[in-house]
């Protein structure tokens, strides 16, 4: 098809490398894009050529039969500065609330965290993982799902041995309002009672 | 008790109105609004039980506007205040706007189904994880944030209670009206609303009368264009009384 | 230094967006790169232009004052094969209506959404928040209220670069009453309170 072929193989390779944080082999790219390894090699060449232009911020790293996307070497100072500043930054309300839910409720699934907070928590969880404040592991009962726990280093920092030592843990971790929220999260549009009062109703007063 | 299955094609008053107008293949105009007014009131009366409390007041407000529009069509000599004129036109604007969003929702739905979509990159993908807690983190800070999450939980609040009051008042009004009519055979609508505190009060009374007409408890008549609406116990109801 | 200035701001922006992954604000880019927000905007524009070329596998998504890098929407079929697919369940009618109001009118309050739909939209909003299709933030003019905006995730799923690419954006993004008012009043009474300018002014004359 005309429109299909207008998007070059170079473009598709770039999309795949962009999403993948690690090197990908030429063989794997060839399989994923149903193209010969020779075609992939040409695509990678073209990509590398394009990245040489001064307006590009990316670079292609080749290591034998593997390829990986990275930031342009000349931009390293800016990149480093951003990594450092991000880690020194204070955590926002959303991230702190997510941390508190993991601390009091961990091990806890993302779906439960979302339901308890009433909003999607994926950005907050990613930040907390990067900062080593929480850990992620596959749910032993459902391999498709992860569960989140506070990290040991977090406990060390807080000077406690387990989350049971958090203030008012027994009451707060079993607050009945939590269960009510989690129940509602798997209801679909159709079967939720209309009288259901949403969490943000109070803002309307 | 048998299962009560809720089957409703519409969620709100605007959707109901639009369904009625489109069902007759009409454009959205004052004339078409007047044409479907009766149907709207009938549906409202027959499906009131399945309408949630939080939405009922909006159904009633729109019912009141439809009654205005209909009376304007039927009695062109009637004078309306600027506010009333505006509220009639506003309903038309709102309905057109609602229809646009309903169509847009469909278009967006189709877009979500096609396979064209972008994927983002994870934050700092490939960067090493380093332990970097925020300054001042303590168990008490965690406790406070957890409490704030708990505080976001649903609270039954005033808004809903107000609506309940409105509904209760509609029901009460019907009972009061029935009781009054048992004592006296006929009432004037003006008499009925003499003590009305506000517009909503008048609307509630009017709806109460409509409800009673629907239940064949009363019949209403109007002598001339500007005359008062006379509300009288219906023949059916008088017979019922005699029998008992 | 010659070599330093040869690297355009566009290149640095691309490096930072690539590294950061998640949406980043123009303000933060401006601070990180010691450039004015206007310069950043120009750089983002240039970047978006470059991504239009068929050999590019990336796209720039804009949402208000934030920007994000993502894969080219047309490449989805190739990219999906390599990802763990997160199959979306279909959304109900009420949820879709609410989503469309937020997409075109965001930032928008719950009261305004309810007014447009003629029904209480809180459950639909909660469902959209949990799915990450919309975001919420406190209303800057009234902290007791939230305002809702479309999320980057929504634009990613729709395969568009900004809300301007939504169908009939120009018509739907504007309140018809405001449009009527502006039409009927001249520049001098632009800031009179709403009640003073009836929308049907023309018909009353």
């Amino acid at each position: 098809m005309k429109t299909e072929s207008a998007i070059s193989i170079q473009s598709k390779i770039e999309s795949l490398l962009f999403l993948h944080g690690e090197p990908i082999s030429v063989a794997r790219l060839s399989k994923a894009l149903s193209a010969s390894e020779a075609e992939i090699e040409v695509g990678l060449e073209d990509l590398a050529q394009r990245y040489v232009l001064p307006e590009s911020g990316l670079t292609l790293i080749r290591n034998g039969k593997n390829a990986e996307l990275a930031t342009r070497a000349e931009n390293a100072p800016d990149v480093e500065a951003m990594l450092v500043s991000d880690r020194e930054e204070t955590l926002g309300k959303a991230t702190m609330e997510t941390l508190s839910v993991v601390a009091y409720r961990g091990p806890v699934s993302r779906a439960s965290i979302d339901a308890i907070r009433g909003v999607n928590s994926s950005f907050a969880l990613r930040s907390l993982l990067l900062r080593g404040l929480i850990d992620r592991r596959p749910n032993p009962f459902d391999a498709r799902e992860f569960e989140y726990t506070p990290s040991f280093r977090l406990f060390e920092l807080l000077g406690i041995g387990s989350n049971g030592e958090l203030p008012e843990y027994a009451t707060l971790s079993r607050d009945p309002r939590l269960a009510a929220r989690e129940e509602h999260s798997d209801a679909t549009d159709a079967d939720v009672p209309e009288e259901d009062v949403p969490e943000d109703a109070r803002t309307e007063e | 008790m048998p299962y009560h299955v809720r089957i409703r094609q519409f969620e709100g008053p605007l959707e109901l109105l639009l369904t009625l107008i489109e069902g007759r293949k009409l454009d959205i105009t004052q004339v078409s609004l007047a044409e479907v007014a009766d149907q709207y009131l009938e549906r409202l009366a027959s499906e009131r039980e399945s309408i949630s409390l939080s939405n009922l007041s909006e159904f009633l407000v729109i019912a009141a506007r439809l009654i205005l529009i209909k009376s304007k069509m039927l009695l062109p000599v009637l004078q309306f205040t600027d506010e009333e004129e505006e509220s009639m036109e506003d309903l038309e604007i709102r309905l057109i706007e609602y229809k646009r969003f309903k169509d847009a929702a469909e278009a967006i739905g189709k877009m979500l189904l096609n396979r064209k979509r972008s994927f983002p990159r994870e934050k700092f993908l490939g960067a090493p994880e380093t332990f970097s807690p925020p300054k001042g983190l303590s168990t008490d800070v965690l406790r406070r944030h957890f409490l704030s999450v708990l505080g976001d939980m649903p609270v039954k609040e005033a808004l809903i209670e107000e609506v309940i009051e409105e509904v209760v008042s509609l029901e009460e009004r019907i009972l009061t009206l029935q009781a009054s009519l048992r004592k006296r055979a006929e009432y004037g609508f003006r008499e009925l609303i003499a003590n009305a505190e506000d517009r909503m009060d008048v609307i509630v009374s009017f709806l109460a009368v409509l409800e009673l007409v629907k239940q064949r408890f009363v019949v209403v008549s109007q002598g001339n264009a500007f005359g008062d609406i006379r509300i009288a116990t219906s023949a059916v109801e008088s017979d019922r009384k005699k029998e008992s």
Side-chain angles (χ1 to χ4, degrees), chain A residues 105-127:
Chain A
R105 295 284 285 186
V108 60
S109 71
R110 210 197 82 186
S112 294
I113 300 169
D114 288 351
I116 288 169
R117 293 190 55 230
V119 289
N120 190 287
S121 303
S122 39
F123 285 165
L125 286 170
R126 177 75 189 153
S127 271

Side-chain angles (χ1 to χ4, degrees), chain B residues 186-228:
Chain B
E186 203 178 306
Y187 268 86
F189 189 65
R190 286 199 188 130
E191 199 178 340
L192 204 68
I193 58 168
N195 294 320
E197 275 162 25
D198 54 28
R199 223 176 170 72
M200 199 60 213
D201 226 22
V202 178
I203 293 167
V204 167
S205 293
F206 195 87
L207 289 173
V209 173
L210 283 179
E211 182 69 27
L212 287 174
V213 172
K214 181 116 197 91
Q215 291 175 18
R216 309 243 179 128
F217 189 88
V218 298
V219 287
V220 293
S221 57
Q222 196 173 24
N224 57 60
F226 299 100
D228 194 12

Side-chain angles (χ1 to χ4, degrees), chain B residues 113-127:
Chain B
L113 286 179
N114 72 28
R115 295 192 73 198
K116 195 169 164 274
R117 64 165 285 195
S118 296
F119 293 88
R121 206 165 181 265
E122 241 182 21
K123 187 179 183 185
F124 296 161
L125 190 60

Side-chain angles (χ1 to χ4, degrees), chain B residues 215-242:
Chain B
Q215 291 175 18
R216 309 243 179 128
F217 189 88
V218 298
V219 287
V220 293
S221 57
Q222 196 173 24
N224 57 60
F226 299 100
D228 194 12
I229 303 170
R230 304 302 301 172
I231 303 155
T233 316
S234 71
V236 183
E237 184 58 24
S238 315
D239 292 349
R240 216 183 289 162
K241 257 193 261 177
K242 274 176 218 152

Side-chain angles (χ1 to χ4, degrees), chain B residues 4-10 43 47 50:
Chain B
H4 180 67
V5 184
R6 277 188 196 176
I7 304 165
R8 260 194 306 140
Q9 297 84 11
F10 62 89
R43 289 287 285 274
E47 302 188 34
S50 63

Side-chain angles (χ1 to χ4, degrees), chain B residues 25-44:
Chain B
K25 304 209 171 1
L26 299 171
D27 288 334
I28 300 166
T29 61
Q30 295 289 307
V31 178
S32 59
L33 285 172
E35 271 186 48
V36 299
D38 288 341
Q39 247 182 307
Y40 176 93
L41 294 173
E42 271 168 35
R43 289 287 285 274
L44 176 54

Side-chain angles (χ1 to χ4, degrees), chain A residues 87 122-137 147-149 153, chain B residues 122 128-131:
Chain A
R87 279 174 186 161
S122 39
F123 285 165
L125 286 170
R126 177 75 189 153
S127 271
L128 294 168
L129 283 168
L130 279 168
R131 297 177 74 143
L133 297 168
I134 61 171
D135 289 324
R136 181 175 86 163
R137 62 181 191 214
E147 52 180 34
Y148 297 84
T149 55
R153 279 170 299 180
Chain B
E122 241 182 21
E129 172 208 308
T130 41
F131 187 61

